[in-house]
Amino acid sequence: MRLIRNEDDFAILLERNELMSSDMFASEQALATMTCERLGGRPAPQLLIGGYGMGFTLRSALAALGPDAGVTVAEIVPEIIEWARGPMHGLTAECLDDPRVLLVMEDVAMLIDAAREAYDAILLDVDNGPEGLTRRLNDQLYSNRGLQSALDALKPRGILAIWSAGAEPSFTRQLARAGFEVTEVPVRALHDGTGDNHMIWFAQKPE
């Protein structure tokens, strides 16, 4: 995994795959803002974000949430946080030091497995879609067992929100079979409504 810099722009690459960049992030922000909108005015909401990335999802969540919220960020790659606090510190805008944030250097799957009705929302942006690109072990997040663990970790009417670089109809059906109420929302990569068409699944746990 490498960090590439061109003046004020950054990109993180895994071999030849560009995982994220600082000039194309509208859908990562939408992952947070649309989830928070769907949560409504719940008191003291607790969110789990899988993958810090460049922090766009975390910063958008913090902007949308009140002072009583809590956000746990699970990031397994130490370099990601080193870059956030180092060369990308201007981009980070001190979000990792927000008192509402708990940074955990662990696999998000482990936190999900250990939880029972602990989270109002789980936001996953750890791969380019519902398969393990960055780590083959991430496949378990999207397996039937992984989805059942997410269902158990959510409070009633909690939301599992998953970012993807593209649509995957079979995964939509898999979420429904796991017991979620599923909504697919296409979101453009750029704020002006252009760029690649990404996908966000909002899978809500029944009462």
Side-chain angles (χ1 to χ4, degrees), residues 124-181:
L124 297 180
D125 183 7
V126 294
D127 282 297
N128 276 3
E131 61 180 14
L133 172 65
T134 56
R135 296 175 70 244
R136 189 53 53 189
L137 288 174
N138 285 347
D139 280 341
Q140 67 180 331
L141 289 169
Y142 317 110
S143 68
N144 292 332
R145 180 184 177 279
L147 295 179
Q148 183 60 56
S149 293
L151 196 71
D152 294 340
L154 288 167
K155 299 177 184 179
R157 305 306 293 169
I159 297 170
L160 172 64
I162 301 174
W163 182 96
S164 174
E168 184 56 66
S170 64
F171 185 63
T172 304
R173 295 190 292 270
Q174 187 179 358
L175 285 165
R177 287 195 300 269
F180 288 101
E181 300 168 7

Side-chain angles (χ1 to χ4, degrees), residues 7 25 31 85 135 171:
E7 296 182 353
F25 51 84
L31 178 65
R85 296 191 182 278
R135 296 175 70 244
F171 185 63

Side-chain angles (χ1 to χ4, degrees), residues 31-161:
L31 178 65
T33 56
M34 290 183 176
T35 299
C36 291
E37 288 170 1
R38 284 164 170 76
L39 289 176
R42 298 190 189 196
Q46 298 298 307
L47 276 64
L48 171 62
I49 296 179
Y52 173 80
M54 291 185 173
F56 294 113
T57 298
L58 173 59
R59 290 193 293 280
S60 294
L62 293 173
L65 295 168
D68 60 346
V71 182
T72 300
V73 178
E75 177 53 65
I76 201 168
V77 181
E79 291 84 358
I80 293 287
I81 302 303
E82 291 171 10
W83 295 333
R85 296 191 182 278
M88 291 193 292
H89 67 277
L91 187 66
T92 301
E94 299 182 354
C95 65
L96 289 169
D97 298 318
D98 189 294
R100 295 170 291 176
V101 173
L102 173 64
L103 175 63
V104 181
M105 299 301 296
E106 291 287 354
D107 189 341
V108 67
M110 186 199 72
L111 298 183
I112 293 172
D113 286 344
R116 291 295 180 271
E117 296 194 355
Y119 302 110
D120 294 280
I122 299 171
L123 290 70
L124 297 180
D125 183 7
V126 294
D127 282 297
N128 276 3
E131 61 180 14
L133 172 65
T134 56
R135 296 175 70 244
R136 189 53 53 189
L137 288 174
N138 285 347
D139 280 341
Q140 67 180 331
L141 289 169
Y142 317 110
S143 68
N144 292 332
R145 180 184 177 279
L147 295 179
Q148 183 60 56
S149 293
L151 196 71
D152 294 340
L154 288 167
K155 299 177 184 179
R157 305 306 293 169
I159 297 170
L160 172 64

